[in-house]
Amino acid sequence: MSRAVGVLLAVALAALAGWAAARAQTGLAGLAGGAALALLARAGWLWLRHRRGLTALQHGLERLAQGQPSARLHQPADARLAPLYAAFNRLAAGLQQQRAQSAAGQAQLQAVLEHMADGVLIVDGQGRVQRLNPAAARLLALDRETAQGRPFSQVVWDHRLIEAWRACRDQGREQVHLLEQGGQTFVHAIFTPLGGTDAGRACLVILQDLSRIRRLETVRRDFIANLSHELRTPLAGLKVLVETLLDLGPARTTDAARLLQRMDEQVDYLARLVQDLLDLSRLEAGPARLQLQPLPPAQVLALAERLRPQAERKGVALEIRPPAARLPAVLADPDRIAQVVGNLVHNAIKFTPPGGRVTLWAETDGEGVRFVVADTGMGIAAEDLPRVFERFYKGDRARRSQGSGLGLAIAKHLVEAHGGRIGVESRLGQGSRFWFWLPAALTER
């Protein structure tokens, strides 16, 4: 029976009840008939109220099924439905709370995926990418919007990844692979099954970028190899000199003195190497402790004067150009900057042939001062320029000269500790120009 029919029935019953009441005045029989009709009308009215309450409950349940947990039922007209309404409201409130918790958990999961350093992909049972985070898109050189929904075999750049995914899907076991791409990118790939059947098993793919770790391992190996080489050369020389000295007779004092002089030079070299290693390890361990103070550019350039005797012994002219009076003072630690200037000028003298020239000057550059050390020496090959500030690195020509290969690395760390920059410009056979920039000191006006 529809709601309209129920309403018509209620109206009819009410009319009958009225007619029975009017007829009750004619006698006792009429009174009994009227009472029966009134009772029937009352029963119909209660039935309609009960039906309206059930209909409201049905509509509320339909709203819950449609994903609207905010639906609530008010106090029913029929008190017998009150427990059902209360149970419905408790159910709706519980569903709404669970939905809010699920949304919060999804937001947290999304935030974790977005900021993870490792790449994450979820591949469904049909082999399509359902989700990937920015790290995965970066490692695979993908656009996230276009990659989602595409087959995994069309997304990745390495056939070994496809084979590992297929093994994970077909065998239902975790697969682990270490991949190298172009000698620069190293990726540790982990494939984990998420359940399902062989024909439709989803997989979780984790991609870990190990490129930086591999580079650090390479640097460590190179460091040990270079250090062993640097120590082996002077130690072997010392051993030969000692053995020769022991073989000399007591009358050959002149030769003995010459050998002792050579031994003293080798010991000095070892001492400098150890000191450079200590300085570099301290600088790389943490920020250098600097005693900063304003220094005029002329005072910075004058730090090269202590190397003039070395230049004269080598037959190299050392020229220090007076800076312009308008140049501002720089904020620097005198001892540390002396080490920087000393390393740059020492290298310039060492790689400049007799008759050449080493020139120093200062010039304004933005909010600071640029100091330049230029020479007319052998120059640096283009392929060596990006690595000249690496520890122990020496170009082919430089390997013939004695030196630890740490001076430029130390200079770079010290300049950067001052908030400055350092660089080099050179052409093979045309000399080199090393420079470093320091910020200007703030002065009161």
Side-chain angles (χ1 to χ4, degrees):
M1 183 183 295
S2 66
R3 184 175 181 180
V5 173
V7 171
L8 291 176
L9 177 60
V11 172
L13 290 174
L16 286 173
W19 176 80
R23 295 287 296 174
Q25 298 176 358
T26 62
L28 183 60
L31 180 61
L37 289 176
L39 182 61
L40 179 62
R42 178 66 177 172
W45 181 253
L46 291 176
W47 177 82
L48 287 176
R49 290 175 61 189
H50 187 72
R51 180 174 178 79
R52 283 198 298 269
L54 291 176
T55 302
L57 181 60
Q58 178 185 356
H59 291 166
L61 291 172
E62 290 176 352
R63 291 181 62 186
L64 286 184
Q66 294 171 1
Q68 302 179 33
S70 60
R72 296 292 185 275
L73 295 178
H74 301 292
Q75 187 67 25
D78 189 345
R80 293 171 297 176
L81 296 177
L84 286 176
Y85 274 41
F88 173 87
N89 289 335
R90 289 194 300 271
L91 174 63
L95 290 176
Q96 188 173 19
Q97 182 179 5
Q98 291 180 4
R99 186 172 184 178
Q101 292 175 349
S102 176
Q106 288 288 340
Q108 292 176 357
L109 176 61
Q110 186 65 25
V112 170
L113 290 176
E114 291 290 323
H115 296 89
M116 279 184 64
D118 295 338
V120 178
L121 296 94
I122 296 178
V123 185
D124 64 13
Q126 286 70 44
R128 296 185 177 276
V129 177
Q130 293 299 313
R131 174 174 288 186
L132 74 163
N133 66 346
R138 175 181 56 81
L139 284 173
L140 298 175
L142 298 173
D143 179 77
R144 294 180 66 188
E145 299 297 330
T146 58
Q148 287 190 355
R150 292 178 56 194
F152 182 75
S153 57
Q154 298 180 8
V155 167
V156 298
W157 43 256
D158 197 298
H159 67 92
R160 292 168 293 181
L161 291 173
I162 301 175
E163 294 171 359
W165 163 68
R166 287 175 177 167
C168 175
R169 179 196 61 185
D170 298 338
Q171 302 174 15
R173 294 198 301 267
E174 184 178 86
Q175 306 291 322
V176 179
H177 289 272
L178 182 62
L179 309 176
E180 177 182 352
Q181 179 72 6
Q184 298 293 328
T185 303
F186 297 87
V187 176
H188 186 229
I190 305 173
F191 294 79
T192 304
L194 297 179
T197 63
D198 294 349
R201 182 181 285 116
C203 293
L204 171 67
V205 184
I206 304 295
L207 303 176
Q208 299 174 332
D209 188 359
L210 303 182
S211 305
R212 183 173 179 273
I213 296 176
R214 282 298 186 95
R215 286 194 295 269
L216 291 176
E217 291 179 351
T218 301
V219 169
R220 180 182 59 82
R221 289 195 300 267
D222 292 345
F223 174 79
I224 294 175
N226 289 327
L227 179 59
S228 301
H229 172 77
E230 294 296 336
L231 290 175
R232 184 173 61 247
T233 301
L235 288 175
L238 279 174
K239 181 175 177 59
V240 171
L241 291 172
V242 170
E243 291 175 349
T244 305
L245 186 60
L246 290 174
D247 291 338
L248 290 177
R252 302 179 62 179
T253 57
T254 304
D255 293 336
R258 179 174 55 82
L259 292 176
L260 288 172
Q261 178 64 32
R262 294 286 304 278
M263 292 171 63
D264 184 63
E265 292 174 359
Q266 293 293 335
V267 170
D268 287 343
Y269 169 70
L270 285 173
R272 289 196 303 270
L273 176 60
V274 171
Q275 186 60 49
D276 287 345
L277 283 171
L278 289 174
D279 290 342
L280 187 60
S281 64
R282 292 193 188 102
L283 291 172
E284 291 183 343
R289 295 182 179 180
L290 304 176
Q291 303 294 328
L292 299 177
Q293 63 184 65
L295 292 181
Q299 184 176 341
V300 175
L301 295 175
L303 295 171
E305 286 291 344
R306 61 189 180 90
L307 295 170
R308 190 174 293 278
Q310 177 187 345
E312 292 174 351
R313 287 194 302 270
K314 181 78 180 292
V316 174
L318 179 61
E319 178 186 356
I320 302 177
R321 297 177 184 174
R326 58 183 174 81
L327 287 182
V330 295
L331 195 62
D333 183 322
D335 294 333
R336 297 295 193 174
I337 290 302
Q339 197 172 357
V340 173
V341 173
N343 286 342
L344 295 182
V345 176
H346 173 76
N347 274 3
I349 295 173
K350 183 168 59 175
F351 296 113
T352 299
R357 178 178 296 274
V358 175
T359 307
L360 283 76
W361 72 87
E363 57 192 20
T364 184
D365 184 358
E367 298 296 324
V369 178
R370 179 194 294 258
F371 298 90
V372 183
V373 178
D375 64 63
T376 59
M378 63 181 65
I380 304 172
E383 60 270 19
D384 294 327
L385 280 176
R387 302 188 60 187
V388 294
F389 292 103
E390 294 181 12
R391 55 187 179 183
F392 287 119
Y393 184 78
K394 297 181 180 181
D396 291 336
R397 295 193 178 200
R399 291 190 185 277
R400 296 196 297 266
S401 65
Q402 189 183 65
S404 65
L406 297 174
L408 292 179
I410 292 173
K412 181 176 184 293
H413 277 285
L414 289 175
V415 170
E416 291 178 349
H418 282 77
R421 303 185 300 271
I422 192 169
V424 60
E425 303 163 5
S426 181
R427 287 189 177 182
L428 196 60
Q430 299 183 20
S432 303
R433 177 180 292 187
F434 284 85
W435 58 266
F436 64 94
W437 178 92
L438 294 177
L442 298 177
T443 57
E444 296 182 358
R445 296 187 177 181

